[in-house]
Amino acid sequence: MLRRVLVGIAVLLMGASFIFTWRTSAHNIDLAKAKELVRRYAQAVRIESRGMVRDSRDVYIASTWNCVRAFPNHNHIVRCVIQHQNARDKTAGVYTCKETMELYMAPHSQAVAYYIFARHTSDNNCGKGRFNDTPLG
C-alpha cells in the first residue's frame, strides 16, 4: 500500500514538472555579452578603488575575469571569477582581491525577462557594492 502511494506521488510530481516547466524557462545568455558586462564591472571597481584607499599603492591597477557557462549545454546561468591587483601584488604575482558572481536572466513570465541579473556568490566583494539579484543591463 505504501509503495503504491509513493509511486503515485512520484508520478504526480513528474507530471507537474512537465506541465509547469514553461513558467520557469529563461532566455539564454550570450557568453560574450556576459563577459562584456563583467569587464565593465571590473573597470568600475578599479576606478572606484581610487577613492576607497588612503595609500595610492593600494589602488587596483589591473583586473582579470573569466566567465563560463554554469552547466554543460545550458546557458541560462554564467559564472564569473574576477580578480584585482594593486601594484605591490602585481609585482609579487598574486591577487589583491578575488570575487565570484553569477549572471542570469529572469524567467520568460516576468516583465523584466530581457535583463541580465547578477549576484555575488562569494562572501568577498572587491568594490563598495554587492550584487544581490541586481539588473546589469
Side-chain angles (χ1 to χ4, degrees), residues 108-125:
H108 292 299
S109 61
Q110 294 184 6
V112 293
Y114 295 103
Y115 286 103
I116 295 177
F117 292 86
R119 65 177 156 245
H120 274 91
T121 54
S122 60
D123 291 334
N124 194 34
N125 51 295

PDB file of all heavy atoms in Angstrom, residues 108-125:
ATOM      1  N   HIS A 108      10.793  33.711 -18.476  1.00  0.00           N
ATOM      2  CA  HIS A 108      10.019  34.375 -19.529  1.00  0.00           C
ATOM      3  C   HIS A 108       8.783  35.068 -18.986  1.00  0.00           C
ATOM      4  O   HIS A 108       8.348  36.071 -19.521  1.00  0.00           O
ATOM      5  CB  HIS A 108       9.567  33.358 -20.582  1.00  0.00           C
ATOM      6  CG  HIS A 108      10.688  32.780 -21.389  1.00  0.00           C
ATOM      7  ND1 HIS A 108      11.498  33.541 -22.171  1.00  0.00           N
ATOM      8  CD2 HIS A 108      11.123  31.505 -21.520  1.00  0.00           C
ATOM      9  CE1 HIS A 108      12.388  32.765 -22.775  1.00  0.00           C
ATOM     10  NE2 HIS A 108      12.185  31.521 -22.384  1.00  0.00           N
ATOM     11  N   SER A 109       8.183  34.530 -17.954  1.00  0.00           N
ATOM     12  CA  SER A 109       6.908  35.046 -17.463  1.00  0.00           C
ATOM     13  C   SER A 109       7.037  36.375 -16.729  1.00  0.00           C
ATOM     14  O   SER A 109       6.047  37.034 -16.473  1.00  0.00           O
ATOM     15  CB  SER A 109       6.256  34.021 -16.537  1.00  0.00           C
ATOM     16  OG  SER A 109       7.096  33.768 -15.426  1.00  0.00           O
ATOM     17  N   GLN A 110       8.250  36.781 -16.373  1.00  0.00           N
ATOM     18  CA  GLN A 110       8.424  38.044 -15.657  1.00  0.00           C
ATOM     19  C   GLN A 110       8.592  39.197 -16.631  1.00  0.00           C
ATOM     20  O   GLN A 110       9.124  39.044 -17.722  1.00  0.00           O
ATOM     21  CB  GLN A 110       9.624  37.962 -14.721  1.00  0.00           C
ATOM     22  CG  GLN A 110       9.426  36.966 -13.605  1.00  0.00           C
ATOM     23  CD  GLN A 110      10.586  36.964 -12.635  1.00  0.00           C
ATOM     24  OE1 GLN A 110      11.488  37.783 -12.723  1.00  0.00           O
ATOM     25  NE2 GLN A 110      10.547  36.045 -11.692  1.00  0.00           N
ATOM     26  N   ALA A 111       8.156  40.368 -16.209  1.00  0.00           N
ATOM     27  CA  ALA A 111       8.196  41.547 -17.075  1.00  0.00           C
ATOM     28  C   ALA A 111       9.622  41.979 -17.401  1.00  0.00           C
ATOM     29  O   ALA A 111       9.850  42.644 -18.400  1.00  0.00           O
ATOM     30  CB  ALA A 111       7.447  42.696 -16.408  1.00  0.00           C
ATOM     31  N   VAL A 112      10.581  41.616 -16.578  1.00  0.00           N
ATOM     32  CA  VAL A 112      11.978  42.025 -16.773  1.00  0.00           C
ATOM     33  C   VAL A 112      12.786  40.920 -17.434  1.00  0.00           C
ATOM     34  O   VAL A 112      13.979  40.804 -17.223  1.00  0.00           O
ATOM     35  CB  VAL A 112      12.625  42.432 -15.432  1.00  0.00           C
ATOM     36  CG1 VAL A 112      12.000  43.693 -14.891  1.00  0.00           C
ATOM     37  CG2 VAL A 112      12.538  41.296 -14.436  1.00  0.00           C
ATOM     38  N   ALA A 113      12.148  40.110 -18.251  1.00  0.00           N
ATOM     39  CA  ALA A 113      12.766  38.901 -18.798  1.00  0.00           C
ATOM     40  C   ALA A 113      14.009  39.176 -19.641  1.00  0.00           C
ATOM     41  O   ALA A 113      14.833  38.293 -19.800  1.00  0.00           O
ATOM     42  CB  ALA A 113      11.753  38.119 -19.615  1.00  0.00           C
ATOM     43  N   TYR A 114      14.177  40.362 -20.186  1.00  0.00           N
ATOM     44  CA  TYR A 114      15.310  40.605 -21.074  1.00  0.00           C
ATOM     45  C   TYR A 114      16.490  41.259 -20.380  1.00  0.00           C
ATOM     46  O   TYR A 114      17.455  41.629 -21.016  1.00  0.00           O
ATOM     47  CB  TYR A 114      14.863  41.434 -22.275  1.00  0.00           C
ATOM     48  CG  TYR A 114      13.884  40.669 -23.122  1.00  0.00           C
ATOM     49  CD1 TYR A 114      12.528  40.942 -23.072  1.00  0.00           C
ATOM     50  CD2 TYR A 114      14.307  39.638 -23.949  1.00  0.00           C
ATOM     51  CE1 TYR A 114      11.624  40.222 -23.831  1.00  0.00           C
ATOM     52  CE2 TYR A 114      13.421  38.908 -24.708  1.00  0.00           C
ATOM     53  CZ  TYR A 114      12.078  39.208 -24.645  1.00  0.00           C
ATOM     54  OH  TYR A 114      11.194  38.480 -25.393  1.00  0.00           O
ATOM     55  N   TYR A 115      16.444  41.418 -19.077  1.00  0.00           N
ATOM     56  CA  TYR A 115      17.573  41.966 -18.331  1.00  0.00           C
ATOM     57  C   TYR A 115      18.473  40.836 -17.859  1.00  0.00           C
ATOM     58  O   TYR A 115      18.017  39.759 -17.526  1.00  0.00           O
ATOM     59  CB  TYR A 115      17.091  42.746 -17.103  1.00  0.00           C
ATOM     60  CG  TYR A 115      16.490  44.083 -17.430  1.00  0.00           C
ATOM     61  CD1 TYR A 115      15.120  44.254 -17.428  1.00  0.00           C
ATOM     62  CD2 TYR A 115      17.295  45.175 -17.734  1.00  0.00           C
ATOM     63  CE1 TYR A 115      14.553  45.485 -17.730  1.00  0.00           C
ATOM     64  CE2 TYR A 115      16.745  46.397 -18.037  1.00  0.00           C
ATOM     65  CZ  TYR A 115      15.373  46.543 -18.034  1.00  0.00           C
ATOM     66  OH  TYR A 115      14.835  47.762 -18.334  1.00  0.00           O
ATOM     67  N   ILE A 116      19.750  41.137 -17.793  1.00  0.00           N
ATOM     68  CA  ILE A 116      20.694  40.196 -17.199  1.00  0.00           C
ATOM     69  C   ILE A 116      20.913  40.641 -15.757  1.00  0.00           C
ATOM     70  O   ILE A 116      21.204  41.805 -15.496  1.00  0.00           O
ATOM     71  CB  ILE A 116      22.022  40.171 -17.979  1.00  0.00           C
ATOM     72  CG1 ILE A 116      21.790  39.624 -19.382  1.00  0.00           C
ATOM     73  CG2 ILE A 116      23.060  39.332 -17.241  1.00  0.00           C
ATOM     74  CD1 ILE A 116      23.023  39.611 -20.263  1.00  0.00           C
ATOM     75  N   PHE A 117      20.738  39.712 -14.838  1.00  0.00           N
ATOM     76  CA  PHE A 117      20.886  39.986 -13.416  1.00  0.00           C
ATOM     77  C   PHE A 117      22.201  39.396 -12.920  1.00  0.00           C
ATOM     78  O   PHE A 117      22.734  38.471 -13.518  1.00  0.00           O
ATOM     79  CB  PHE A 117      19.730  39.358 -12.631  1.00  0.00           C
ATOM     80  CG  PHE A 117      18.408  40.004 -12.896  1.00  0.00           C
ATOM     81  CD1 PHE A 117      17.630  39.596 -13.959  1.00  0.00           C
ATOM     82  CD2 PHE A 117      17.946  41.021 -12.077  1.00  0.00           C
ATOM     83  CE1 PHE A 117      16.414  40.188 -14.213  1.00  0.00           C
ATOM     84  CE2 PHE A 117      16.719  41.617 -12.323  1.00  0.00           C
ATOM     85  CZ  PHE A 117      15.954  41.201 -13.396  1.00  0.00           C
ATOM     86  N   ALA A 118      22.686  39.937 -11.805  1.00  0.00           N
ATOM     87  CA  ALA A 118      23.934  39.440 -11.217  1.00  0.00           C
ATOM     88  C   ALA A 118      23.753  39.261  -9.717  1.00  0.00           C
ATOM     89  O   ALA A 118      22.986  39.978  -9.079  1.00  0.00           O
ATOM     90  CB  ALA A 118      25.072  40.414 -11.483  1.00  0.00           C
ATOM     91  N   ARG A 119      24.473  38.286  -9.196  1.00  0.00           N
ATOM     92  CA  ARG A 119      24.527  38.095  -7.750  1.00  0.00           C
ATOM     93  C   ARG A 119      25.927  37.607  -7.390  1.00  0.00           C
ATOM     94  O   ARG A 119      26.505  36.785  -8.096  1.00  0.00           O
ATOM     95  CB  ARG A 119      23.460  37.131  -7.260  1.00  0.00           C
ATOM     96  CG  ARG A 119      23.610  35.723  -7.742  1.00  0.00           C
ATOM     97  CD  ARG A 119      22.549  34.797  -7.146  1.00  0.00           C
ATOM     98  NE  ARG A 119      22.362  33.660  -8.028  1.00  0.00           N
ATOM     99  CZ  ARG A 119      21.260  33.383  -8.682  1.00  0.00           C
ATOM    100  NH1 ARG A 119      20.209  34.144  -8.549  1.00  0.00           N
ATOM    101  NH2 ARG A 119      21.191  32.336  -9.466  1.00  0.00           N
ATOM    102  N   HIS A 120      26.453  38.161  -6.315  1.00  0.00           N
ATOM    103  CA  HIS A 120      27.737  37.686  -5.808  1.00  0.00           C
ATOM    104  C   HIS A 120      27.532  36.302  -5.205  1.00  0.00           C
ATOM    105  O   HIS A 120      26.576  36.071  -4.469  1.00  0.00           O
ATOM    106  CB  HIS A 120      28.299  38.636  -4.746  1.00  0.00           C
ATOM    107  CG  HIS A 120      29.076  39.761  -5.318  1.00  0.00           C
ATOM    108  ND1 HIS A 120      28.517  40.972  -5.639  1.00  0.00           N
ATOM    109  CD2 HIS A 120      30.392  39.854  -5.635  1.00  0.00           C
ATOM    110  CE1 HIS A 120      29.451  41.767  -6.123  1.00  0.00           C
ATOM    111  NE2 HIS A 120      30.602  41.118  -6.137  1.00  0.00           N
ATOM    112  N   THR A 121      28.418  35.397  -5.506  1.00  0.00           N
ATOM    113  CA  THR A 121      28.339  34.056  -4.935  1.00  0.00           C
ATOM    114  C   THR A 121      29.467  33.810  -3.945  1.00  0.00           C
ATOM    115  O   THR A 121      29.499  32.769  -3.309  1.00  0.00           O
ATOM    116  CB  THR A 121      28.371  32.983  -6.041  1.00  0.00           C
ATOM    117  OG1 THR A 121      29.518  33.188  -6.858  1.00  0.00           O
ATOM    118  CG2 THR A 121      27.124  33.057  -6.903  1.00  0.00           C
ATOM    119  N   SER A 122      30.360  34.760  -3.815  1.00  0.00           N
ATOM    120  CA  SER A 122      31.419  34.665  -2.812  1.00  0.00           C
ATOM    121  C   SER A 122      31.082  35.625  -1.676  1.00  0.00           C
ATOM    122  O   SER A 122      30.325  36.580  -1.854  1.00  0.00           O
ATOM    123  CB  SER A 122      32.774  35.032  -3.414  1.00  0.00           C
ATOM    124  OG  SER A 122      32.748  36.350  -3.915  1.00  0.00           O
ATOM    125  N   ASP A 123      31.641  35.366  -0.521  1.00  0.00           N
ATOM    126  CA  ASP A 123      31.440  36.278   0.602  1.00  0.00           C
ATOM    127  C   ASP A 123      32.206  37.575   0.390  1.00  0.00           C
ATOM    128  O   ASP A 123      31.933  38.570   1.039  1.00  0.00           O
ATOM    129  CB  ASP A 123      31.898  35.619   1.905  1.00  0.00           C
ATOM    130  CG  ASP A 123      30.988  34.479   2.315  1.00  0.00           C
ATOM    131  OD1 ASP A 123      29.797  34.495   1.941  1.00  0.00           O
ATOM    132  OD2 ASP A 123      31.464  33.564   3.006  1.00  0.00           O
ATOM    133  N   ASN A 124      33.146  37.545  -0.508  1.00  0.00           N
ATOM    134  CA  ASN A 124      34.010  38.686  -0.764  1.00  0.00           C
ATOM    135  C   ASN A 124      33.475  39.514  -1.920  1.00  0.00           C
ATOM    136  O   ASN A 124      33.022  38.982  -2.914  1.00  0.00           O
ATOM    137  CB  ASN A 124      35.418  38.175  -1.099  1.00  0.00           C
ATOM    138  CG  ASN A 124      36.429  39.265  -1.044  1.00  0.00           C
ATOM    139  OD1 ASN A 124      36.312  40.175  -0.239  1.00  0.00           O
ATOM    140  ND2 ASN A 124      37.432  39.180  -1.884  1.00  0.00           N
ATOM    141  N   ASN A 125      33.506  40.827  -1.783  1.00  0.00           N
ATOM    142  CA  ASN A 125      33.301  41.711  -2.924  1.00  0.00           C
ATOM    143  C   ASN A 125      34.363  42.800  -2.852  1.00  0.00           C
ATOM    144  O   ASN A 125      34.663  43.319  -1.788  1.00  0.00           O
ATOM    145  CB  ASN A 125      31.883  42.278  -2.986  1.00  0.00           C
ATOM    146  CG  ASN A 125      31.410  42.901  -1.711  1.00  0.00           C
ATOM    147  OD1 ASN A 125      31.265  42.214  -0.707  1.00  0.00           O
ATOM    148  ND2 ASN A 125      31.166  44.197  -1.724  1.00  0.00           N
TER     149      ASN A 125
END
